Amino acid sequence: MTEREEYPQHPVYDKNSIEFVTVAAQFCSFVENCQQMERGTFFDKMPKLLSLLYLKTSVLPSMDDTSFSELTTYVTEEEYEYIQTKLKSVIGQYDEYLDVFVEDMQYSDTPILSNISEDIADIYQDLKDMIGNFQSADIDIMNDSLKDCLDNFKSFWGQKLLNALRALHNVRYSNADFEDDEFLNEENNEHNFFTE
């Protein structure tokens, strides 16, 4: 008897959970390969992926109370910085935006700058860790990884997603002419964590 047959009603096997994990994997793959695409393609596809990710996360079923399984962290600090650097190189001059949904804003007399690349890298880190743990096929770890990801969505990266989406929308539907951007799709000599 497979684990799925043994726990057919468990939330990790819910249609919405499976669809969320699928979209999360697509998002992570897109981010990992972003340096291979043109800037216009990135600004066309990333808002769609973020919108779909928000929808799929918001309809996740409630997970069981955590069993305190030991979740593994898959994205190292070095890998995080690598991802953010790649995102920043694709986004280029459009990376910075004014953020009004930060706690420090109420104490500031000046606007606070945020970065699309950092927002997306934060989302990527949480989703990549969730996917790695979910692939364990251990029902408790799968449950805890989804619950942890959903909790982080509510308290942290859901707002980052919406902020990045707003900034991407602003660029995408402005008069930005990506044809004139001097963005070359060159493979660089940096260590690539995702093709080894």
Side-chain angles (χ1 to χ4, degrees):
M1 177 179 276
T2 66
E3 198 164 79
R4 186 176 174 115
E5 291 167 343
E6 188 178 347
Y7 300 101
Q9 302 303 315
H10 198 285
V12 301
Y13 297 121
D14 182 88
K15 175 179 176 281
N16 288 327
S17 297
I18 300 302
E19 288 180 358
F20 165 71
V21 174
T22 301
V23 171
Q26 291 171 341
F27 172 84
C28 290
S29 177
F30 184 85
V31 169
E32 290 165 3
N33 295 294
C34 70
Q35 75 273 13
Q36 299 171 9
M37 65 189 70
E38 294 179 357
R39 185 169 286 147
T41 301
F42 179 87
F43 276 93
D44 179 54
K45 293 189 176 186
M46 181 55 79
K48 295 170 186 171
L49 263 175
L50 288 175
S51 299
L52 185 58
L53 181 61
Y54 189 92
L55 172 65
K56 293 302 179 183
T57 311
S58 66
V59 296
L60 274 173
S62 296
M63 295 296 133
D64 294 340
D65 287 337
T66 182
S67 64
F68 302 104
S69 298
E70 190 66 33
L71 296 179
T72 303
T73 300
Y74 288 90
V75 180
T76 65
E77 185 176 336
E78 186 181 23
E79 289 167 338
Y80 175 93
E81 289 173 6
Y82 173 80
I83 283 292
Q84 186 182 1
T85 299
K86 289 299 181 186
L87 286 162
K88 195 169 188 138
S89 73
V90 175
I91 298 167
Q93 64 189 6
Y94 308 106
D95 193 39
E96 291 184 344
Y97 68 93
L98 298 179
D99 190 354
V100 295
F101 289 105
V102 289
E103 192 173 328
D104 295 338
M105 186 66 185
Q106 61 184 317
Y107 307 111
S108 177
D109 293 331
T110 57
I112 296 173
L113 279 179
S114 290
N115 299 87
I116 297 171
S117 60
E118 184 178 341
D119 290 342
I120 294 174
D122 286 343
I123 297 165
Y124 169 86
Q125 182 176 33
D126 207 55
L127 294 179
K128 190 69 174 182
D129 286 346
M130 181 276 300
I131 291 166
N133 283 293
F134 197 86
Q135 289 174 335
S136 71
D138 179 296
I139 193 84
D140 291 330
I141 293 175
M142 293 165 74
N143 177 84
D144 291 358
S145 66
L146 282 175
K147 185 175 189 317
D148 190 51
C149 196
L150 182 56
D151 290 346
N152 289 342
F153 167 77
K154 292 174 182 176
S155 65
F156 177 62
W157 63 263
Q159 187 64 59
K160 285 189 165 275
L161 184 156
L162 293 171
N163 292 348
L165 185 58
R166 179 175 54 88
L168 288 163
H169 174 87
N170 185 53
V171 174
R172 174 70 175 86
Y173 294 103
S174 69
N175 292 324
D177 186 1
F178 300 118
E179 300 279 326
D180 292 339
D181 287 337
E182 295 181 11
F183 175 70
L184 301 176
N185 300 318
E186 297 176 347
E187 289 296 324
N188 55 37
N189 295 323
E190 292 181 46
H191 177 67
N192 189 331
F193 297 99
F194 310 107
T195 57
E196 296 183 336

